Amino acid sequence: MRGSPSYEDVWREESPHVLAALLRRYGDFEACEDAVQEALLAAARQWPGDGLPDSPRGWLVTVASRRLVDQRRAEGARERRELADAALAEPGPAAERDDSLALLLLCCHPALSRPSQVALTLRAVGGLTTDRIARAFLVPESTMAQRISRAKARLRQVDAPFGLPSPTELPARVEAVAHVLYLIFTEGHTATGGSGLTDVSLAAEAVRLTRRLHDLLPQAPEVSGLLALMLLTDARRPARLDPHGALVLLADQDRSVWRGDLIDEGVRLVEAALPTGRVGAYQLQAAIAAVHAEAATAAETDWAQIEVLYGMLAALTPGPVVTLNHAVAVAEVHGPGAGLAMVEPLRGDPALRHSHRLHAVRAHLLARAGRYDEAREAYAEAARLATNVPEQRYLWARSVDASSGPA
């Protein structure tokens, strides 16, 4: 035994590996996760007195495996199967294998809905409690528990194998994992609702898991692009709120407090990824974020380059959200009228019907065009639709400001 235990650190670091080791051997997601939970409870009782084992992962694999053996004995498993399982339960080199990618791929199995993939990834790979995940996504804990339980049951129903899919299936599965991590980061960066603008721990978890995915797939350009996008975006977090907790837009942020280390790493990643193969959506978004990050002041932003990059993104992944962001860049290069011409058709798009961002962008462009009465109404509508308190306050304030015209 060594040192004093840090149970939370061990839980976050080792539990995905323990779960993966059990899944490789036994294949039943729900039973394996239950066994991991019981092993962690046993550790919580034993380690404070005995100290942290030399191999926490091996200790947890052993205890969890024996729990599964006991369960199978209770269910009438044959003695020969019990003895074989007990032999597998002894810690060894297999317990130290890194099956992180296989576990991520299993949590993002195509048989699961996207919300279930997100919840299961945070639970099984991120090590977050069900209560923590529920609070992040503003749903009752019982609802999130049911979602996770249904996801595990669905994996059992389809007999989802633990391991890497075939080479033909792998790209689509990695794409699903990347999208889930992107959704987790987006929710952490700007929370869908609640009193805070960000959920720092959720964004950090997305970055941590994406770093792990990048370590496992260093030659995948879109994984590199996704990590770069997260780092470049998260670098601006210290400047997004003023000392009173009010939202500060990108153009008004104090760039001296941006995280230079994250910017440097993100720029290196995207510059290395772009020339290596087919350019993907995450690489393009990261390139846009890099242009913003490298401008010493808002006035020095190379909007012409950003407009070109958004044009490439629109050609690659067309959609109303991309068009909305493209319109902002077009307005910076060609004037607010050109941006409004792109935004107006989006007002009838069902995907943006309840989006506060559509009305906020339109309000901004209307104000720049000198149409202050329309801008006031658009800001007010955006504030009514926003569910995040700092954004609501900002939009209501802009609605009032628009009433008096230019400053």
Side-chain angles (χ1 to χ4, degrees):
M1 297 291 178
R2 58 177 170 80
S4 58
S6 175
Y7 177 67
E8 286 297 325
D9 290 344
V10 172
W11 154 242
R12 295 291 298 278
E13 179 64 28
E14 299 296 351
S15 62
H17 297 287
V18 175
L19 177 59
L22 296 183
L23 283 169
R24 186 174 0 102
R25 294 169 178 177
Y26 305 111
D28 186 326
F29 196 108
E30 190 160 18
C32 289
E33 199 197 25
D34 287 345
V36 172
Q37 294 300 313
E38 293 203 13
L40 289 165
L41 288 173
R45 291 190 296 267
Q46 186 168 332
W47 291 357
D50 295 348
L52 198 64
D54 291 331
S55 175
R57 187 181 304 177
W59 191 98
L60 290 167
V61 169
T62 297
V63 173
S65 296
R66 286 173 178 164
R67 189 273 181 191
L68 284 172
V69 170
D70 290 342
Q71 181 185 40
R72 291 185 176 184
R73 181 184 296 116
E75 293 171 353
R78 292 181 300 176
E79 183 177 357
R80 184 173 61 187
R81 180 62 177 272
E82 293 171 13
L83 293 173
D85 285 345
L88 284 172
E90 297 306 315
E96 301 302 321
R97 282 177 52 174
D98 189 343
D99 284 314
S100 300
L101 179 58
L103 185 56
L104 274 167
L105 293 170
L106 181 62
C107 290
C108 296
H109 192 279
L112 303 180
S113 67
R114 192 67 81 201
S116 294
Q117 292 175 341
V118 169
L120 201 58
T121 298
L122 287 172
R123 182 78 177 98
V125 188
L128 301 187
T129 65
T130 303
D131 174 64
R132 175 69 188 79
I133 303 169
R135 283 188 282 111
F137 289 91
L138 301 175
V139 299
E141 183 178 359
S142 59
T143 299
M144 186 57 69
Q146 290 173 359
R147 185 177 297 172
I148 293 172
S149 179
R150 284 196 298 268
K152 292 186 288 188
R154 179 61 177 157
L155 290 178
R156 175 186 287 180
Q157 181 183 8
V158 301
D159 196 21
F162 180 77
L164 298 181
S166 69
T168 57
E169 296 175 324
L170 184 59
R173 294 286 291 279
V174 171
E175 182 180 345
V177 171
H179 187 55
V180 164
L181 296 176
Y182 174 76
L183 291 175
I184 294 170
F185 177 81
T186 300
E187 180 62 28
H189 180 68
T190 302
T192 301
S195 59
L197 177 68
T198 63
D199 187 326
V200 176
S201 61
L202 196 61
E205 186 60 28
V207 173
R208 186 182 75 85
L209 293 177
T210 305
R211 282 192 185 281
R212 177 175 290 179
L213 184 63
H214 181 258
D215 289 342
L216 296 167
L217 299 171
Q219 303 305 317
E222 272 291 76
V223 174
S224 299
L226 176 61
L227 179 57
L229 174 61
M230 289 183 180
L231 296 175
L232 291 164
T233 303
D234 202 43
R236 303 196 296 261
R237 178 165 46 84
R240 294 183 70 211
L241 294 174
D242 70 14
H244 305 289
L247 178 65
V248 181
L249 292 191
L250 177 62
D252 302 319
Q253 289 176 7
D254 178 3
R255 299 183 179 217
S256 68
V257 300
W258 285 2
R259 291 276 306 274
D261 57 329
L262 298 185
I263 290 172
D264 291 344
E265 184 181 1
V267 170
R268 286 196 302 271
L269 281 166
V270 73
E271 287 180 345
L274 282 172
T276 59
R278 185 179 70 86
V279 175
Y282 295 127
Q283 295 167 70
L284 289 172
Q285 291 178 75
I288 292 167
V291 175
H292 283 296
E294 293 181 314
T297 66
E300 296 175 63
T301 303
D302 188 347
W303 282 105
Q305 185 179 355
I306 291 175
E307 183 197 358
V308 170
L309 290 168
Y310 267 122
M312 295 171 64
L313 186 61
L316 183 65
T317 56
V321 174
V322 174
T323 300
L324 187 62
N325 290 323
H326 191 190
V328 174
V330 167
E332 292 291 338
V333 178
H334 302 291
L340 282 167
M342 297 177 66
V343 168
E344 290 298 336
L346 298 177
R347 298 175 68 187
D349 194 304
L352 294 179
R353 184 173 300 152
H354 301 296
S355 169
H356 73 282
R357 178 156 169 75
L358 168 61
H359 298 281
V361 169
R362 181 170 175 269
H364 169 71
L365 297 180
L366 287 168
R368 285 193 55 192
R371 295 160 61 178
Y372 301 112
D373 288 341
E374 294 173 86
R376 182 188 68 251
E377 293 176 3
Y379 273 126
E381 181 62 17
R384 283 190 287 269
L385 290 172
T387 54
N388 180 287
V389 173
E391 289 185 310
Q392 287 175 344
R393 290 173 176 165
Y394 171 83
L395 293 166
W396 280 121
R398 291 306 302 267
S399 177
V400 172
D401 291 343
S403 301
S404 57

